[in-house]
Coordinates of all heavy atoms in Angstrom, one line a residue:
T21 N 3.0 21.9 12.0 CA 3.5 23.3 12.4 C 4.3 23.2 13.7 O 4.1 22.4 14.5 CB 2.3 24.2 12.6 OG1 1.6 23.9 13.8 CG2 1.4 24.3 11.4
R22 N 5.2 24.2 13.8 CA 5.9 24.3 15.0 C 5.0 24.8 16.1 O 5.2 24.5 17.3 CB 7.1 25.3 14.8 CG 7.9 25.6 16.0 CD 8.6 24.4 16.7 NE 9.2 23.5 15.8 CZ 9.5 22.2 16.1 NH1 9.2 21.8 17.3 NH2 10.0 21.4 15.3
K23 N 4.0 25.6 15.8 CA 3.1 26.3 16.7 C 2.1 25.3 17.4 O 1.9 25.4 18.6 CB 2.4 27.4 16.1 CG 1.5 28.2 17.0 CD 0.9 29.4 16.2 CE 0.1 30.2 17.2 NZ -0.5 31.4 16.5
S24 N 1.5 24.4 16.6 CA 0.4 23.7 17.2 C 0.5 22.1 17.0 O -0.4 21.4 17.5 CB -0.9 24.2 16.7 OG -0.9 24.1 15.3
A25 N 1.5 21.6 16.3 CA 1.6 20.2 16.1 C 1.8 19.5 17.4 O 2.4 20.0 18.4 CB 2.8 19.9 15.2
R26 N 1.3 18.3 17.5 CA 1.4 17.4 18.6 C 1.9 16.0 18.2 O 1.7 15.7 17.0 CB 0.1 17.2 19.4 CG -0.5 18.5 19.9 CD 0.3 19.1 21.1 NE -0.3 20.3 21.6 CZ 0.2 21.5 21.3 NH1 1.2 21.6 20.4 NH2 -0.4 22.6 21.8
G27 N 2.5 15.3 19.0 CA 2.9 13.9 18.7 C 3.8 13.8 17.5 O 4.7 14.6 17.4
D28 N 3.5 12.9 16.6 CA 4.3 12.7 15.4 C 4.4 13.9 14.5 O 5.4 14.1 13.8 CB 3.8 11.5 14.6 CG 4.1 10.2 15.2 OD1 4.9 10.1 16.2 OD2 3.6 9.1 14.7
G29 N 3.4 14.8 14.5 CA 3.5 16.0 13.6 C 4.7 16.8 13.9 O 5.2 17.5 13.0
L30 N 5.1 16.9 15.2 CA 6.3 17.7 15.5 C 7.6 17.2 14.8 O 8.5 18.0 14.6 CB 6.5 17.7 17.1 CG 5.6 18.6 17.9 CD1 5.8 18.3 19.4 CD2 5.9 20.0 17.5
A31 N 7.7 16.0 14.5 CA 8.9 15.5 13.8 C 9.0 16.1 12.4 O 10.1 16.1 11.9 CB 8.8 13.9 13.7
F32 N 8.0 16.6 11.9 CA 8.0 17.2 10.5 C 7.9 18.7 10.5 O 7.9 19.3 9.4 CB 6.9 16.6 9.7 CG 6.8 15.1 9.8 CD1 5.9 14.4 10.5 CD2 7.9 14.3 9.2 CE1 5.9 13.0 10.6 CE2 7.9 12.9 9.3 CZ 6.9 12.3 10.0
A33 N 7.8 19.3 11.7 CA 7.7 20.8 11.8 C 9.1 21.4 11.7 O 10.1 20.8 12.2 CB 7.1 21.1 13.1
P34 N 9.2 22.5 11.0 CA 10.5 23.2 11.0 C 10.9 23.7 12.4 O 10.0 24.1 13.2 CB 10.3 24.4 10.0 CG 8.8 24.6 10.1 CD 8.2 23.3 10.4
S35 N 12.2 23.8 12.6 CA 12.6 24.3 13.9 C 12.5 25.8 14.0 O 12.4 26.5 12.9 CB 14.1 24.0 14.1 OG 14.9 24.7 13.2
H36 N 12.5 26.3 15.2 CA 12.4 27.8 15.3 C 13.6 28.5 14.7 O 13.6 29.6 14.2 CB 12.3 28.2 16.8 CG 11.0 27.9 17.4 ND1 9.9 28.6 17.0 CD2 10.6 27.1 18.4 CE1 8.8 28.2 17.7 NE2 9.2 27.3 18.5
A37 N 14.7 27.7 14.7 CA 16.0 28.3 14.2 C 15.9 28.7 12.7 O 16.5 29.6 12.2 CB 17.2 27.3 14.4
I38 N 15.1 27.9 11.9 CA 14.9 28.3 10.5 C 13.6 29.0 10.3 O 13.5 29.8 9.3 CB 15.1 27.1 9.5 CG1 14.0 26.1 9.7 CG2 16.4 26.4 9.7 CD1 13.9 25.0 8.7
L39 N 12.6 28.7 11.1 CA 11.3 29.3 10.9 C 11.3 30.8 11.2 O 10.8 31.6 10.4 CB 10.3 28.6 11.7 CG 8.8 29.0 11.6 CD1 8.4 28.9 10.1 CD2 7.9 28.3 12.5
R40 N 11.8 31.2 12.3 CA 11.8 32.7 12.7 C 12.4 33.6 11.7 O 11.8 34.6 11.3 CB 12.5 32.8 14.1 CG 11.5 32.5 15.2 CD 12.1 33.0 16.5 NE 11.4 32.4 17.6 CZ 11.9 31.7 18.6 NH1 13.2 31.4 18.6 NH2 11.1 31.2 19.5
P41 N 13.7 33.3 11.2 CA 14.3 34.2 10.2 C 13.4 34.2 8.9 O 13.3 35.3 8.3 CB 15.6 33.6 10.0 CG 15.9 32.8 11.2 CD 14.6 32.3 11.7
A42 N 12.9 33.1 8.5 CA 12.1 33.1 7.3 C 10.8 34.0 7.5 O 10.5 34.8 6.6 CB 11.7 31.7 7.0
L43 N 10.1 33.9 8.6 CA 9.0 34.7 8.8 C 9.3 36.2 8.9 O 8.6 37.0 8.5 CB 8.2 34.2 10.1 CG 7.6 32.8 10.0 CD1 7.0 32.4 11.3 CD2 6.6 32.8 8.9
D44 N 10.5 36.5 9.6 CA 10.9 37.9 9.7 C 11.2 38.4 8.3 O 10.8 39.6 8.0 CB 12.2 38.0 10.5 CG 11.9 37.7 12.0 OD1 10.8 37.8 12.4 OD2 12.9 37.5 12.7
L45 N 11.8 37.7 7.4 CA 12.1 38.2 6.1 C 10.8 38.3 5.3 O 10.7 39.3 4.5 CB 13.1 37.2 5.3 CG 14.5 37.3 5.8 CD1 15.4 36.2 5.2 CD2 15.1 38.7 5.5
R46 N 9.9 37.4 5.5 CA 8.6 37.6 4.8 C 7.9 38.8 5.2 O 7.2 39.5 4.4 CB 7.7 36.4 5.2 CG 7.0 35.8 4.0 CD 6.3 34.6 4.3 NE 6.7 33.6 3.3 CZ 6.4 32.3 3.3 NH1 5.8 31.8 4.3 NH2 6.8 31.5 2.4
R47 N 8.0 39.2 6.5 CA 7.4 40.5 7.0 C 8.0 41.7 6.4 O 7.4 42.6 6.0 CB 7.4 40.5 8.5 CG 6.3 39.7 9.2 CD 6.2 40.0 10.7 NE 7.3 39.3 11.4 CZ 7.2 38.0 11.8 NH1 6.2 37.3 11.5 NH2 8.2 37.5 12.5
V48 N 9.4 41.6 6.2 CA 10.1 42.7 5.6 C 9.6 42.9 4.1 O 9.4 44.0 3.7 CB 11.6 42.5 5.7 CG1 12.4 43.4 4.8 CG2 12.1 42.6 7.1
A49 N 9.5 41.8 3.4 CA 9.1 41.8 2.0 C 7.7 42.4 1.9 O 7.4 43.2 1.1 CB 9.2 40.4 1.4
A50 N 6.8 41.9 2.8 CA 5.4 42.4 2.8 C 5.4 43.9 3.1 O 4.6 44.6 2.4 CB 4.6 41.6 3.8
A51 N 6.2 44.4 4.0 CA 6.2 45.8 4.3 C 6.7 46.6 3.1 O 6.2 47.7 2.8 CB 7.1 46.1 5.5
L52 N 7.7 46.1 2.4 CA 8.2 46.8 1.2 C 7.1 46.9 0.1 O 6.9 48.0 -0.5 CB 9.4 46.1 0.6 CG 10.7 46.3 1.4 CD1 11.8 45.3 0.9 CD2 11.2 47.7 1.2
V53 N 6.4 45.8 -0.1 CA 5.3 45.8 -1.1 C 4.2 46.8 -0.7 O 3.7 47.6 -1.5 CB 4.7 44.4 -1.3 CG1 3.4 44.4 -2.1 CG2 5.8 43.5 -1.9
A54 N 3.8 46.8 0.6 CA 2.8 47.7 1.1 C 3.3 49.1 1.0 O 2.5 50.0 0.6 CB 2.5 47.3 2.6
G55 N 4.5 49.4 1.3 CA 5.0 50.8 1.2 C 5.0 51.3 -0.2 O 4.7 52.4 -0.5
A56 N 5.4 50.4 -1.2 CA 5.4 50.8 -2.6 C 4.0 51.1 -3.0 O 3.7 52.0 -3.8 CB 6.1 49.7 -3.4
A57 N 3.0 50.2 -2.6 CA 1.6 50.4 -3.0 C 1.1 51.7 -2.4 O 0.4 52.5 -3.1 CB 0.8 49.2 -2.5
E58 N 1.4 52.0 -1.2 CA 0.9 53.3 -0.6 C 1.5 54.5 -1.3 O 0.9 55.5 -1.6 CB 1.3 53.3 0.9 CG 0.8 54.5 1.6 CD 1.1 54.5 3.1 OE1 1.4 53.5 3.6 OE2 1.1 55.6 3.7
A59 N 2.8 54.4 -1.7 CA 3.5 55.5 -2.4 C 2.8 55.7 -3.7 O 2.6 56.8 -4.1 CB 5.0 55.2 -2.5
R60 N 2.5 54.6 -4.5 CA 1.8 54.7 -5.7 C 0.4 55.4 -5.6 O 0.0 56.2 -6.4 CB 1.6 53.3 -6.4 CG 2.8 52.9 -7.2 CD 2.4 51.7 -8.0 NE 3.6 50.8 -8.0 CZ 3.9 49.9 -7.1 NH1 3.1 49.6 -6.1 NH2 5.0 49.2 -7.2
A61 N -0.3 55.0 -4.5 CA -1.6 55.5 -4.3 C -1.5 57.0 -4.0 O -2.5 57.8 -4.2 CB -2.3 54.8 -3.1
N62 N -0.4 57.5 -3.5 CA -0.2 58.9 -3.1 C 0.5 59.6 -4.3 O 1.0 60.8 -4.1 CB 0.6 59.0 -1.8 CG -0.2 58.6 -0.6 OD1 -1.4 58.8 -0.6 ND2 0.4 58.0 0.3
G63 N 0.6 59.0 -5.5 CA 1.1 59.7 -6.6 C 2.6 59.6 -6.9 O 3.1 60.3 -7.8
A64 N 3.2 58.6 -6.3 CA 4.7 58.4 -6.5 C 4.8 57.9 -8.0 O 4.0 57.2 -8.5 CB 5.3 57.5 -5.5
D65 N 6.0 58.1 -8.5 CA 6.3 57.6 -9.9 C 6.8 56.2 -9.8 O 6.8 55.6 -8.8 CB 7.3 58.6 -10.6 CG 8.6 58.7 -9.9 OD1 9.0 57.7 -9.2 OD2 9.3 59.7 -10.1
D66 N 7.3 55.7 -11.0 CA 7.7 54.3 -11.1 C 8.9 53.9 -10.3 O 9.2 52.8 -10.1 CB 7.9 54.0 -12.6 CG 6.7 53.9 -13.4 OD1 5.6 53.9 -12.8 OD2 6.8 54.0 -14.6
R67 N 9.6 54.9 -9.7 CA 10.8 54.6 -8.9 C 10.4 53.7 -7.7 O 11.3 53.0 -7.2 CB 11.5 55.9 -8.5 CG 12.2 56.5 -9.7 CD 12.9 57.8 -9.2 NE 11.8 58.8 -8.9 CZ 12.1 60.0 -8.5 NH1 13.3 60.4 -8.3 NH2 11.1 60.8 -8.3
V68 N 9.2 53.8 -7.2 CA 8.8 53.0 -6.1 C 8.7 51.5 -6.4 O 8.7 50.6 -5.5 CB 7.5 53.4 -5.4 CG1 7.6 54.8 -4.9 CG2 6.3 53.2 -6.4
D69 N 8.8 51.2 -7.7 CA 8.8 49.7 -8.1 C 10.0 49.0 -7.6 O 10.0 47.8 -7.5 CB 8.7 49.6 -9.7 CG 7.4 50.0 -10.3 OD1 6.4 50.2 -9.5 OD2 7.4 50.2 -11.5
V70 N 11.0 49.7 -7.2 CA 12.2 49.1 -6.6 C 11.8 48.3 -5.3 O 12.4 47.3 -5.0 CB 13.3 50.1 -6.4 CG1 13.0 51.0 -5.2 CG2 14.7 49.4 -6.2
G71 N 10.8 48.8 -4.6 CA 10.4 48.2 -3.4 C 9.8 46.8 -3.7 O 10.1 45.8 -3.0
D72 N 9.0 46.7 -4.8 CA 8.5 45.4 -5.2 C 9.6 44.5 -5.6 O 9.6 43.3 -5.3 CB 7.5 45.6 -6.3 CG 6.2 46.3 -5.9 OD1 5.8 46.2 -4.7 OD2 5.6 47.0 -6.7
D73 N 10.6 45.0 -6.4 CA 11.7 44.2 -6.9 C 12.5 43.6 -5.7 O 12.8 42.5 -5.7 CB 12.5 45.0 -7.8 CG 13.7 44.2 -8.4 OD1 13.4 43.1 -8.9 OD2 14.8 44.6 -8.4
I74 N 12.8 44.5 -4.8 CA 13.6 44.0 -3.6 C 12.8 43.0 -2.8 O 13.4 42.0 -2.4 CB 14.0 45.3 -2.7 CG1 15.0 46.1 -3.4 CG2 14.5 44.8 -1.4 CD1 15.2 47.5 -2.8
A75 N 11.5 43.2 -2.7 CA 10.7 42.2 -2.0 C 10.7 40.9 -2.6 O 10.8 39.8 -2.0 CB 9.2 42.7 -1.9

Side-chain angles (χ1 to χ4, degrees):
T21 68
R22 179 55 47 197
K23 184 176 183 178
S24 58
R26 301 288 179 262
D28 284 349
L30 282 172
F32 310 108
S35 70
H36 286 296
I38 67 170
L39 185 58
R40 279 192 191 122
L43 293 176
D44 288 345
L45 287 171
R46 226 176 229 167
R47 280 190 283 279
V48 168
L52 285 166
V53 169
E58 184 177 342
R60 271 189 221 90
N62 291 323
D65 61 25
D66 290 344
R67 288 179 290 179
V68 299
D69 291 346
V70 72
D72 293 329
D73 183 50
I74 292 169

